[in-house]
Amino acid sequence: MDLRNVVISTKRLVLKPILPAYREEIFREFTEAVARYTYPQPTGDIEDTDDFIRSAIEEMTRGENLQLVAIVRDTGEFIGCMGVHHLMAQPEPGIWLKESAWGKGYGFEIVAALKDWAEGHLEYEYLYYPVHRDNVASRRLAEKLGGVLESEELV
């Protein structure tokens, strides 16, 4: 299943497949603050961003992962990256938003849209949404969508 043409629309956003055209914005906005609770971490080398984009496109072509960028519908502003990973095993939504997009409800809107997409296109028992225990905003987001704590592990 080739996922390179998946587009998900929400009330305020359009989630579009990642493309090399977004490399500068991804590189600039994936900062240490944004990546505080994520893997991988920013390296300061735009070639790593290029590798990430290239790999994401290959994985979407094979139907292994869905990797998108979020664009504000009214302005065309890039606000972050997200996806559903491990589609052939245990689907796992993931998201990061640039700092200026924090606190505006975009995270909930995006993860709810990814959950809806997964429900309509995948077969799975549950979505696995790993969240660092200190990442209160992401924990609340998951709980608001009906998520329950499965375990607490020290990372």
Side-chain angles (χ1 to χ4, degrees):
M1 157 177 55
D2 189 337
L3 301 172
R4 290 177 295 165
N5 294 312
V6 172
V7 175
I8 301 171
S9 294
T10 70
K11 181 178 179 183
R12 299 179 294 167
L13 304 169
V14 178
L15 311 181
K16 304 180 347 179
I18 195 168
L19 292 170
Y22 297 106
R23 76 188 285 265
E24 296 286 339
E25 291 166 302
I26 293 168
F27 178 73
R28 181 179 59 248
E29 301 297 348
F30 190 60
T31 64
E32 287 186 22
V34 166
R36 181 174 177 195
Y37 298 114
T38 68
Y39 173 83
Q41 294 288 299
T43 65
D45 185 346
I46 198 160
E47 288 182 21
D48 291 330
T49 302
D50 293 334
D51 289 343
F52 165 71
I53 293 169
R54 188 172 25 263
S55 175
I57 292 170
E58 290 170 4
E59 291 168 354
M60 286 193 307
T61 302
R62 294 189 303 263
E64 298 170 353
N65 288 314
L66 177 66
Q67 188 67 53
L68 308 168
V69 295
I71 307 299
V72 176
R73 181 184 302 281
D74 293 342
T75 65
E77 176 188 6
F78 167 91
I79 62 166
C81 284
M82 66 285 319
V84 182
H85 312 291
H86 316 296
L87 298 180
M88 304 302 182
Q90 181 62 62
E92 180 181 313
I95 177 175
W96 66 261
L97 298 175
K98 67 183 187 177
E99 287 182 77
S100 63
W102 293 356
K104 298 179 181 177
Y106 289 133
F108 177 80
E109 190 171 334
I110 290 166
V111 175
L114 293 175
K115 181 177 181 272
D116 288 346
W117 178 86
E119 288 172 355
H121 294 87
L122 305 174
E123 291 187 30
Y124 60 91
E125 186 177 339
Y126 61 91
L127 293 175
Y128 178 68
Y129 189 64
V131 176
H132 189 283
R133 68 180 181 188
D134 294 337
N135 189 345
V136 176
S138 286
R139 286 181 72 166
R140 286 186 184 143
L141 185 155
E143 290 166 354
K144 189 174 177 180
L145 286 167
V148 294
L149 181 65
E150 181 179 87
S151 69
E152 281 195 53
E153 299 175 20
L154 294 176
V155 181

